Amino acid sequence: MSWTLARRTEGMNPSVIREILKLIERPGVISFAGGLPAPATFPLEAMREACARVLREDAGGDARARQSLQYAASEGYGPLREWLAADLRRQGLEVGAAQVLITTGSQQGLDLVAKVLLDEASPLLVESPTYLGALQAFAPMQPRFIPVPGDDEGPSVEAMAQAARAHGPARFFYLLPNFQNPTGCSIGETRRAQLAERAAAIGLPLVEDNPYGDLWFDAPPPPCLAGRDPANAVYLGSFSKVLAPGLRLGYLAAPPALLPKLLQAKQAADLHTPIFNQRVAHEVIAGGFLDTHVPTIRALYRAQRDAMLAALERHMPAGGVRWNRPAGGMFLWLELPPGCDASALLPRAVERGVAFVPGAPFYADAPADGSAARSLRLSFVTASVEQIETGIAALAGAVREQTDAACGDADRAPGRSEAGPHPLARSANAFVGRGAP
Ligand SMILES: Cc1ncc(COP(=O)(O)O)c(C=O)c1O
């Protein structure tokens, strides 16, 4: 007996990150690899109380409590959808609760969008690099990925327009405007307006993924792209980074023309997102909890980002190692000098007790300049400030070893330490290197 796999399984691959996480799960390794929110930010007390309230018998008997353990509507818990619609309107996205679909993490939103909008060989525009989990969600539909290059303000408007035409009308452009995973970069206000305007003009739909937008350090990000042309956009959000990822609670807002199909795909996938989790989350946030909770996450992550920047400045060898200064989110992007390779660096780093994720898997199609192989993602939120100092010192040791062995020239090449504009550096996130101006 032999199994015949569906053709779409050719597009399914194990998550490189999860494979790496398995390799580095040894005691003592400081990990900058995973995208795990800091457990200290999980609101244990508020969750305990909310769970108790959701399960408590009330004046109407225990019917409501039992409902939280029953099958429920595929669209999601009504009061939570209302809350989200109001929140999205505050951010400039004019939607009603009927346009909000609760998803089992925003990862499911990506999967539903893929199922509803992609056929085999459908042209699909993505940033370069982009979120690996989105590539994983889209790949089984076997679309034709078209990376859109950018500059320090975000994806190029011209490149987007050209890419949207080049292979027939693209199904959508998948974008992460705020503190992107993996780079930590954001799209500037002017570029947002230009992208949205041009996309509307050429009839290119947008899928905007925004799990990190609330985690800003200095100033809130500009309004979302979806709000500028809601009929032309799907917006994805998540409670993973502001409450707890284990709740598996995300949401999407879609135009009325699209929502019924997304809902049908959701029904087929899992009937509904756990109603208990939805009611607990609603119980926690309904009274304005996030208004005080999220600033504490921002303060913690900002201190961790600052610690990582300071440690990089202190420890990285001069001559060609460059990194950005994210204005929010969880990740920092680092580029090694020419001739170096982040995948080859990883085992050396793990030897020294520190781990990261190489950048190459985040590219649908690596650029010809070799920068993908030289880049790596560092999460600054899971390790403590002390661990960040130790981990970056260890990483710098591994980098020094690799640059000495493989690209000794880079240390001597004067131009490499200059921090020129980098294709991935967006405004506040311009790349810097140690010793750079
Ligand atoms: C850009 C992006 N989108 C979506 C997700 C999925 O988030 P979740 O399914 O936990 O809501 C993540 C998770 O890290 C992410 O970084």
Side-chain angles (χ1 to χ4, degrees):
M1 164 112 157
S2 66
W3 299 102
T4 304
L5 295 181
R7 266 221 312 278
R8 79 181 64 84
T9 60
E10 288 162 21
M12 295 178 186
N13 289 303
S15 159
V16 179
I17 294 183
R18 296 208 175 271
E19 294 303 304
I20 288 172
L21 290 181
K22 271 191 241 159
L23 284 180
I24 62 178
E25 260 173 16
R26 15 167 154 151
V29 172
I30 295 171
S31 179
F32 303 135
L36 307 183
T41 65
F42 302 158
L44 280 184
E45 204 42 50
M47 292 291 296
R48 268 190 209 111
E49 286 168 13
C51 286
R53 281 200 300 277
V54 166
L55 292 175
R56 189 178 302 141
E57 290 185 27
D58 51 28
D62 60 1
R64 261 181 65 79
R66 286 176 193 278
Q67 269 170 19
S68 69
L69 301 173
Q70 185 56 282
Y71 283 118
S74 304
E75 291 87 340
Y77 181 48
L80 183 60
R81 295 169 77 208
E82 295 283 355
W83 187 95
L84 283 164
D87 192 56
L88 290 170
R89 285 196 296 272
R90 264 195 300 279
Q91 295 176 41
L93 178 55
E94 271 308 316
V95 287
Q99 283 169 261
V100 176
L101 177 64
I102 305 293
T103 56
T104 305
S106 60
Q107 187 66 32
Q108 183 179 53
L110 294 167
D111 183 62
L112 302 180
V113 161
K115 283 178 175 150
V116 167
L117 292 174
L118 297 175
D119 287 312
E120 200 177 322
S122 301
L124 162 60
L125 273 51
V126 291
E127 293 178 274
S128 186
T130 189
Y131 170 50
L132 180 60
L135 295 176
Q136 266 196 305
F138 300 152
M141 301 301 135
Q142 301 179 304
R144 180 197 289 241
F145 286 107
I146 307 172
V148 178
D151 56 25
D152 61 353
E153 285 299 314
S156 149
V157 181
E158 278 316 312
M160 175 189 78
Q162 205 179 12
R165 282 191 304 265
H167 308 273
R171 293 293 168 92
F172 60 86
F173 186 6
Y174 171 66
L175 287 155
L176 299 115
N178 297 321
F179 322 123
Q180 195 222 39
N181 180 2
T183 62
C185 296
S186 295
I187 302 178
E189 164 59 33
T190 312
R191 184 62 56 86
R192 285 177 199 228
Q194 292 166 339
L195 287 167
E197 192 181 323
R198 191 67 168 272
I202 60 176
L204 171 66
L206 302 179
V207 172
E208 176 171 12
D209 192 5
N210 186 27
Y212 302 103
D214 286 325
L215 305 182
W216 48 267
F217 300 151
D218 306 312
C224 62
L225 277 93
R228 297 158 207 250
D229 187 12
N232 201 36
V234 176
Y235 177 96
L236 303 169
S238 175
F239 286 107
S240 289
K241 322 296 176 188
V242 292
L243 271 186
L247 289 170
R248 306 308 303 127
L249 272 186
Y251 48 94
L252 62 79
L258 202 55
L259 198 90
K261 281 294 163 203
L262 291 165
L263 177 60
Q264 286 157 30
K266 161 88 183 158
Q267 281 164 352
D270 65 354
L271 302 182
H272 64 82
T273 294
I275 183 65
F276 180 73
N277 297 13
Q278 295 185 62
R279 287 175 70 154
V280 167
H282 181 256
E283 197 68 33
V284 170
I285 64 178
F289 174 79
L290 293 180
D291 296 343
T292 51
H293 180 60
V294 175
T296 65
I297 306 179
R298 288 183 199 130
L300 177 68
Y301 288 3
R302 178 210 242 148
Q304 288 169 299
R305 176 208 58 178
D306 289 346
M308 188 170 274
L309 288 172
L312 285 165
E313 181 68 29
R314 232 183 334 269
H315 297 295
M316 277 297 156
V321 185
R322 305 196 302 166
W323 56 88
N324 61 353
R325 184 181 187 281
M330 300 182 11
F331 305 109
L332 182 147
W333 194 242
L334 184 140
E335 196 181 286
L336 300 166
C340 294
D341 183 279
S343 299
L345 181 70
L346 182 61
R348 292 173 190 246
V350 172
E351 271 307 85
R352 291 171 179 260
V354 61
F356 58 84
V357 181
F362 296 95
Y363 290 82
D365 195 2
D369 64 3
S371 56
R374 285 188 280 120
S375 54
L376 53 102
R377 187 191 77 175
L378 297 173
S379 160
F380 48 81
V381 304
T382 325
S384 67
V385 163
E386 295 72 33
Q387 288 172 322
I388 288 173
E389 170 66 20
T390 313
I392 293 295
L395 179 63
V399 169
R400 201 171 286 113
E401 193 189 334
Q402 194 185 52
T403 48
D404 285 353
C407 43
D409 296 348
D411 267 354
R412 290 183 287 275
R416 291 303 308 160
S417 62
E418 286 160 21
H422 185 278
L424 290 169
R426 293 178 191 165
S427 50
N429 305 319
F431 269 54
V432 295
R434 194 172 153 254

